[in-house]
Amino acid sequence: RPTKAAFGFAKKQDATVDDLTSIKTEKGEYLYLKRTIAGRPTKDILREILPTILSAVSWPKSMRWGSVGIPFVRPVHWIAGLFNGEVLPFEFAGIVSDNMSRGHRFMAPDPFEVCDVEDYLKKIQAAFVVIEQSERERIIVDIVAEEAARVEGVPADDSDLISTVANLVEYPSAVCGGFEEKFLALPDPVLITAMREHQKYFAVYDREGNLLPNFVAVNNTLARDPFIVRKGHERVLRARLSDAAFFMEEDRKKPLMDRLEELKRVIYQADLGTSFAKVQRFENLAREMAKTILPDEIENVGLAARLCKCDLVTQMVGEFPSLQGVMGREYAQLDGYPDKVSEAVEEHYLPLKAGGKLPGGELSAIVGVADRIDTIAGCFAVGLEPTGSADPFALRRHAIAIIRIIEAFGWEISLSWLVERALFHLNQELDFPAEKTFAGVMGFVRERYKNLLLGEGYEPDLIEAVLSAGFDRIRGLRPRIEQLKQFSAESEDFGLLAFTFKRVTNILKKETVPFSVDPGLFQSREEAVLWETFEAVRGRVHEMLEGGRFFQALGAMAELRKPVDLFFDGVEVMVKDNEVLRKNRIGLLQQIESLVLLVADFSKFSI
């Protein structure tokens, strides 16, 4: 009698239930379908799948052109497609494949015939195209260093820029140019950004690490007249640097703190108000954090919080957005603020990416965490949680940054308190479901930490066991995970211990009310022995946990295994005709569960 599932399976496979056969496996009996798919010529299959493969290539930005409806990174002009030396005919984006290709657009624009891969690589090289990305990068490193040496300098060590430039050129060549020394009065980050981000130029340093008034530009062709090419690059950069000098001069006409009021005209997010309102919220939170973490620096923490977004309304950051924070630090220093405050204006943005550099000081870290917690709480309050791959406010990155900072600085701070305070300040301006938002934020940060640990190679059961036992004090989570991992590897009885504690958790699943324990109600030796063992173990466990000795605490908890097993074997916990006795025995197990949960929830282990 085939079930609906069997009919559904057969239909999905374009078969009938009569075509299905049963097979016995270790997991039981299953239905399966055996199909024979006739082979086809590779050439025919490739003709069908290649257009699909090309259409599936993912690009950050695509374009459409003419009447072609297929999006691609650039208009497709030709397709060389061969199989075993013969043309493999197929069509993509309105172009039919053939055996012709082309080289460098300017240095070798004529088409050439292709016979096979080896022939293609030979001819494309002769046509001034370095086909391998790694080879282009190697050439760029060499020629940039060679050009910088002409002015007795060394180029910036910038692997990201090397990769970017290598993807912009097919046949790289380099030229070293210069600019007026007066521009060296600009802060180094301004000079580097103007060269790097706008023009893709490499900055040049002397042997002591000081910027020289020079740069190296990479071109996509061999220059007929290097002098003219150099002058062209210099003219473009001079205009950029002149703009930067003008912006800085204009910005310096007003103290940085005076720009705080201008943030009232900057909308942070439509439902969350202005950037000024955001600064006020996370300044209050940062001050509250400082009372516990850095009590002697509360005023400096508040000062850094008020200053840290002011450079967003400067002309320099308007032109060079990547300098946010950097220019804030520069202007704060010029305005005479303490170094620790100026550094916090820049460093509160750190880390800028996953695995990036963390803030150098606690003052910077406090402001950064307060800013990020406010962002996450605010977005969840107005329904802007990340969905799938969409995360426009980078909330995942912010959550990981908060976790890394708390771990790195070893703060004994409650995550739930942080979230509650952030929501409290937000609630002064907005109405939102506070409990739901709190649960959403806590669950979100927990999931990010779980993914972080999974990425580091920890077992899912191990992670879940520790996080389920409590995810409030981030500082103690990793030591707990590490020592539980060590204990599980070194203890021969770990499996039995986990099974025993899992029994305790399972029997208490439906018990939401805590009960007290009265030893005078014990009716069996098993109850008394378990209670005596628990009393003897409890103090030692708490002492070990206070010192972060989770491994030793687990060893002490292991002493409970046999008494618990004997208790389950000899005692009826859910006594039906004696409510008082039942509650007393449940209370005894609750005491044991509470002690064990200080380290891990063993019910999460697949045992």
Side-chain angles (χ1 to χ4, degrees):
R1 292 192 298 272
T3 64
K4 288 184 178 180
F7 280 108
F9 171 66
K11 184 178 180 180
K12 186 176 180 180
Q13 301 300 325
D14 196 22
T16 67
V17 289
D18 294 333
D19 298 323
L20 304 180
T21 308
S22 65
I23 182 172
K24 291 183 178 180
T25 72
E26 294 179 355
K27 295 183 178 181
E29 192 172 359
Y30 283 79
L31 289 178
Y32 81 101
L33 175 69
K34 184 176 182 179
R35 301 174 65 183
T36 301
I37 302 174
R40 296 171 56 204
T42 303
K43 190 173 182 178
D44 293 345
I45 297 173
L46 287 174
R47 288 182 60 186
E48 289 181 9
I49 67 173
L50 281 173
T52 303
I53 292 173
L54 291 173
S55 298
V57 176
S58 176
W59 305 100
K61 292 183 180 180
S62 298
M63 63 183 296
R64 290 180 171 85
W65 60 96
S67 59
V68 177
I70 297 175
F72 208 65
V73 66
R74 287 291 185 272
V76 178
H77 292 285
W78 73 87
I79 302 172
L82 294 96
F83 179 69
N84 284 343
E86 297 181 0
V87 172
L88 182 68
F90 67 92
E91 182 176 336
F92 174 73
I95 303 295
V96 178
S97 61
D98 57 23
N99 63 345
M100 304 298 293
S101 188
R102 291 171 174 80
H104 196 289
R105 181 170 296 237
F106 304 113
M107 300 175 67
D110 296 333
F112 57 83
E113 186 175 331
V114 178
C115 300
D116 52 34
V117 172
E118 185 178 346
D119 181 56
Y120 170 74
L121 294 176
K122 180 179 178 181
K123 290 179 178 177
I124 200 72
Q125 184 177 8
F128 299 97
V129 175
V130 180
I131 201 72
E132 287 290 342
Q133 162 89 3
S134 59
E135 178 64 10
R136 291 197 304 278
E137 290 183 1
R138 186 194 64 77
I139 293 172
I140 289 169
V141 169
D142 291 344
I143 61 177
V144 169
E146 183 180 331
E147 285 297 312
R150 296 181 186 276
V151 291
E152 299 182 354
V154 292
D157 183 11
D158 193 335
S159 58
D160 288 341
L161 182 57
I162 290 169
S163 176
T164 297
V165 173
N167 278 290
L168 292 173
V169 299
E170 292 179 311
Y171 196 82
S173 66
V175 61
C176 182
F179 54 84
E180 293 91 330
E181 289 196 14
K182 66 179 183 180
F183 290 121
L184 290 176
L186 290 169
D188 286 0
V190 175
L191 291 169
I192 294 168
T193 300
M195 288 186 273
R196 182 185 191 276
E197 296 195 7
H198 285 269
Q199 305 305 135
K200 307 298 184 288
Y201 296 165
F202 290 84
V204 179
Y205 298 84
D206 63 21
R207 301 297 172 178
E208 284 71 44
N210 302 309
L211 272 177
L212 292 173
N214 298 98
F215 64 89
V216 177
V218 177
N219 304 303
N220 191 32
T221 60
L222 293 174
R224 296 179 183 176
D225 188 340
F227 177 80
I228 294 176
V229 173
R230 180 183 302 110
K231 289 301 178 184
H233 286 303
E234 290 175 345
R235 183 175 63 254
V236 173
L237 182 60
R238 186 181 303 113
R240 289 286 183 190
L241 296 181
S242 296
D243 287 345
F246 171 77
F247 295 144
M248 188 159 185
E249 182 181 352
E250 290 298 304
D251 289 341
R252 289 290 297 134
K253 292 179 179 179
K254 178 186 280 191
L256 186 62
M257 185 63 82
D258 288 0
R259 298 185 181 277
L260 184 60
E261 287 290 314
E262 295 180 37
L263 293 176
K264 291 180 178 179
R265 300 195 298 270
V266 178
I267 299 298
Y268 169 66
Q269 197 279 330
D271 295 321
L272 293 172
T274 65
S275 292
F276 179 83
K278 176 174 173 57
V279 168
Q280 285 190 308
R281 290 195 302 268
F282 75 74
E283 181 195 346
N284 290 330
L285 179 57
R287 284 176 173 272
E288 291 172 346
M289 291 173 62
K291 289 179 183 178
T292 302
I293 300 170
L294 212 59
D296 294 336
E297 297 286 354
I298 294 176
E299 291 307 315
N300 280 334
V301 166
L303 181 59
R306 289 197 302 279
L307 286 169
C308 68
K309 303 298 182 183
C310 290
D311 66 344
L312 296 178
V313 289
T314 61
Q315 293 193 49
M316 186 72 83
V317 173
E319 178 67 15
F320 303 105
S322 65
L323 289 178
Q324 65 177 13
V326 176
M327 293 313 303
R329 181 202 65 208
E330 294 288 338
Y331 292 150
Q333 286 178 335
L334 291 171
D335 286 345
Y337 290 104
D339 287 344
K340 64 182 75 173
V341 172
S342 301
E343 289 166 3
V345 172
E346 177 183 11
E347 290 187 346
H348 87 284
Y349 285 110
L350 300 179
L352 296 175
K353 58 182 179 180
K357 179 183 176 183
L358 294 174
E362 287 192 302
L363 197 156
S364 309
I366 290 171
V367 176
V369 168
D371 182 14
R372 289 180 173 92
I373 283 284
D374 175 78
T375 298
I376 296 173
C379 287
F380 270 76
V382 297
L384 295 176
E385 304 96 327
T387 56
S389 60
D391 188 9
F393 288 89
L395 302 190
R396 295 186 180 96
R397 178 165 59 82
H398 288 327
I400 293 294
I402 291 167
I403 292 165
R404 288 186 60 210
I405 289 171
I406 293 176
E407 284 189 331
F409 286 95
W411 291 343
E412 189 57 46
I413 193 169
S414 164
L415 180 65
S416 59
W417 176 84
L418 269 178
V419 176
E420 285 171 354
R421 295 311 299 167
L423 293 176
F424 170 80
H425 296 300
L426 192 66
N427 200 225
Q428 309 306 303
E429 306 167 18
L430 298 174
D431 288 325
F432 57 88
E435 290 186 10
K436 179 183 177 182
T437 305
F438 173 81
V441 173
M442 291 295 291
F444 175 73
V445 179
R446 182 189 189 278
E447 196 64 22
R448 300 284 70 72
Y449 191 55
K450 180 180 177 180
N451 290 339
L452 180 67
L453 294 171
L454 286 171
E456 294 176 9
Y458 290 99
E459 292 294 327
D461 283 3
L462 185 68
I463 298 169
E464 198 60 41
V466 170
L467 299 191
S468 296
F471 181 69
D472 190 39
R473 306 278 176 171
I474 292 176
R475 174 190 176 187
L477 293 176
R478 194 177 292 271
R480 268 201 285 154
I481 290 172
E482 286 286 354
Q483 294 182 45
L484 179 58
K485 179 182 178 182
Q486 180 188 356
F487 187 83
S488 66
E490 296 181 9
S491 173
E492 295 180 358
D493 296 332
F494 178 77
L496 294 173
L497 181 67
F499 178 75
T500 296
F501 289 153
K502 192 170 185 176
R503 289 180 72 185
V504 174
T505 302
N506 287 339
I507 203 169
L508 296 176
K509 278 183 178 178
K510 296 181 180 180
E511 302 297 334
T512 57
V513 178
F515 300 118
S516 59
V517 178
D518 181 0
L521 294 174
F522 293 158
Q523 292 187 344
S524 67
R525 176 163 175 74
E526 288 86 356
E527 289 175 280
V529 169
L530 179 55
W531 180 250
E532 289 169 5
T533 307
F534 170 74
E535 289 273 75
V537 166
R538 177 169 52 181
R540 286 188 286 133
V541 167
H542 280 288
E543 183 181 344
M544 292 167 182
L545 293 179
E546 286 177 6
R549 293 178 290 148
F550 301 101
F551 183 90
Q552 289 81 358
L554 285 162
M557 290 178 186
E559 297 175 24
L560 291 167
R561 183 179 68 81
K562 287 185 178 179
V564 170
D565 288 343
L566 291 172
F567 175 83
F568 279 126
D569 291 341
V571 177
E572 182 183 359
V573 179
M574 299 300 182
V575 185
K576 294 181 180 179
D577 56 354
N578 193 328
E579 185 73 7
V580 174
L581 196 59
R582 184 183 70 83
K583 289 180 179 180
N584 199 59
R585 290 172 177 174
I586 289 173
L588 176 54
L589 293 178
Q590 286 175 334
Q591 293 279 349
I592 293 167
E593 182 186 48
S594 297
L595 185 67
V596 174
L597 286 176
L598 293 174
V599 177
D601 181 354
F602 285 87
S603 69
K604 301 302 180 182
F605 283 100
S606 302
I607 297 173

